[in-house]
Amino acid sequence: MTHDIATLIVAAGRGTRAGEGQPKQWRLLAGRPVLAHTLAALRAAGLTRLVLVIHPDDAAQAEALAEEGVLIVQGGATRRASVRAALEALCNDPPRKVLIHDGARPLVSADVIHAVLNALERGPAAAPALPVVDALWQGAEGRVQRPAARDGLYRAQTPQGFDYAAILAAHRAYAGNAADDVEIARAAGMEVAITKGCDDNIKLTYAADFARAARVLAERQARQMDIRLGNGYDVHRFMPGDGCWLCGVLVPHDRALEGHSDADVGMHALTDAIYGALAEGDIGRHFPPSDPQWKGAASHIFLRHAVALAAKRGYRIGNCDVTLVCERPKIGPHAGAMQAALAEIMGLEAGRISVKATTSERLGFTGREEGIAAYATACLIAQEGATP
Ligand code: MG
């Protein structure tokens, strides 16, 4: 994401309701300070221009925590003063939009953040919230006085997103204190869109919140540990021709490979490896050779289908590895181009794709140069919401 969007992480408070000792944003959650989780969650959503607003007493901790690229700003005595200080600090290189997030909400998801950013394309302000579902009462001294209407009531969350110039002007014009920046935006007459919040996006306040957050993180980690491997194997025989398609590259040779499609044996093995990891059969199941529409088809159609199916099922491809087995043509000079071609087709970084080759010491059908064999392995990693 661009420099256009700055994200303020408000972490200057001294709140210790969560227990004795450090302010809650510096307490450990699953072995790391809460703020480390918050920064990681924002980065995972693609936000890169981060501004950490801290209490002056926490400067050393903040320096140790914030990697390069995080701007550290000293906050003020109130939440409002802290946000104002951070907004002013961006003045010389103003972003177009700004997200303002509570440092003590480490479980914010990319979905919540992207919903706010999308709404900001259509209006000057947007913030996530959840409708109130519990009945509400007014009470005093431990007794219910009267029920209260919950219609139209929401529980506000962060990040709250704004047009930068507009929220800066609103802050400069505002007098008094405010619970959040939406209150300040509304005082300036800005329209604020409500986007979908998430139950897990809690603000850590009490000790029980830390226990809940630790559970959520453990569940997420368990999901990330859902790693699936698949292998693929394919063989195509040589026929007369002047080149072979191998891993998306036409390699000049004194023969070609025979097959129903373009006979790209490496890409077929890789495609089958991905289908295998998903327990989705093989290329033949998705593109039957009996169907004339796949005759002479470019094999990237198959590979793109397998990659899209993995994404649809909620998996990202961690890495893959292809081994071509042949005496000739020599693969080494083309391996880099093959890696780049597969990376482009799969939408992956080249560093996650390996293409290598071996001979079979002149043994067997590959040794006799009757054809080429290919082996492939693919590693798929479950994302949030993956279907096993
Ligand atoms: Mg094949």
Side-chain angles (χ1 to χ4, degrees):
M1 220 165 285
T2 66
H3 197 69
D4 251 11
I5 303 162
T7 304
L8 314 189
I9 301 107
V10 187
R14 299 283 88 190
T16 52
R17 275 177 290 180
E20 293 306 307
Q22 299 223 74
K24 58 192 181 178
Q25 64 274 28
W26 292 109
R27 286 191 57 195
L28 294 186
L29 170 64
R32 292 198 296 165
V34 168
L35 274 175
H37 293 281
T38 308
L39 289 171
L42 298 170
R43 281 212 181 83
L47 298 169
T48 50
R49 189 175 177 187
L50 305 178
V51 182
L52 186 56
V53 197
I54 56 152
H55 191 278
D57 291 353
D58 300 332
Q61 290 187 85
E63 291 290 347
L65 177 78
E67 306 98 281
E68 223 165 306
V70 178
L71 177 66
I72 297 173
V73 173
Q74 297 208 344
T78 61
R79 185 185 192 286
R80 186 189 147 226
S82 294
V83 173
R84 168 86 185 266
L87 290 172
E88 298 285 356
L90 292 171
C91 236
N92 290 333
D93 182 14
R96 201 161 57 83
K97 304 173 195 177
V98 64
L99 298 180
I100 304 173
H101 186 60
D102 294 328
R105 291 188 193 268
L107 301 180
V108 63
S109 69
D111 284 351
V112 167
I113 291 166
H114 291 148
V116 172
L117 289 174
N118 287 339
L120 273 184
E121 293 298 326
R122 299 184 296 274
L130 289 171
V132 171
V133 291
D134 294 326
L136 294 180
W137 304 325
Q138 273 188 335
E141 293 162 4
R143 301 255 154 72
V144 175
Q145 305 290 303
R146 62 188 72 79
R150 68 182 169 211
D151 304 339
L153 289 186
Y154 287 85
R155 293 186 286 135
Q157 299 188 340
T158 71
Q160 300 180 346
F162 307 93
D163 175 85
Y164 170 73
I167 194 67
L168 177 62
H171 263 267
R172 284 175 176 171
Y174 193 83
N177 217 338
D180 62 13
D181 300 284
V182 163
E183 192 175 332
I184 292 168
R186 287 298 301 142
M190 288 166 75
E191 194 167 290
V192 183
I194 300 173
T195 61
K196 198 166 180 293
C198 170
D199 268 317
D200 283 344
N201 187 19
I202 50 173
K203 185 172 183 177
L204 303 189
T205 307
Y206 301 104
D209 299 332
F210 278 76
R212 178 177 167 191
R215 276 198 306 276
V216 171
L217 286 171
E219 280 166 23
R220 287 184 184 174
Q221 198 173 15
R223 242 185 335 249
Q224 279 169 4
M225 292 303 286
D226 183 2
I227 287 172
R228 309 181 63 138
L229 297 181
N231 72 72
Y233 174 69
D234 196 24
V235 173
H236 282 260
R237 68 168 73 235
F238 281 124
M239 64 175 187
D242 53 11
C244 308
W245 281 102
L246 292 168
C247 295
V249 174
L250 182 57
V251 178
H253 191 42
D254 52 14
R255 274 169 275 189
L257 290 172
E258 185 181 309
H260 187 70
S261 63
D262 64 11
D264 189 330
V265 63
M267 211 182 287
H268 292 181
L270 176 55
T271 304
D272 274 353
I274 296 169
Y275 287 137
L278 295 169
E280 283 277 0
D282 58 15
I283 295 178
R285 189 207 281 186
H286 299 278
F287 301 91
S290 55
D291 187 336
Q293 69 169 309
W294 309 123
K295 185 157 175 54
S299 295
H300 67 78
I301 295 170
F302 312 149
L303 181 56
R304 283 183 208 277
H305 177 266
V307 170
L309 186 60
K312 190 172 148 206
R313 290 267 307 271
Y315 292 85
R316 76 177 172 84
I317 296 173
N319 73 303
C320 53
D321 184 18
V322 181
T323 303
L324 298 168
V325 187
C326 59
E327 304 293 328
R328 291 187 313 132
K330 287 293 165 217
I331 302 303
H334 305 283
M338 293 174 180
Q339 185 187 27
L342 294 177
E344 200 274 320
I345 293 165
M346 300 175 78
L348 277 186
E349 302 97 320
R352 295 182 183 273
I353 298 167
S354 151
V355 178
K356 59 196 195 304
T358 182
T359 70
S360 51
E361 297 283 343
R362 303 224 147 264
L363 296 172
F365 70 88
T366 51
R368 293 189 297 271
E369 299 194 39
E370 293 165 4
I372 298 182
Y375 298 87
T377 304
C379 167
L380 272 54
I381 301 167
Q383 306 297 287
E384 209 161 328
T387 52

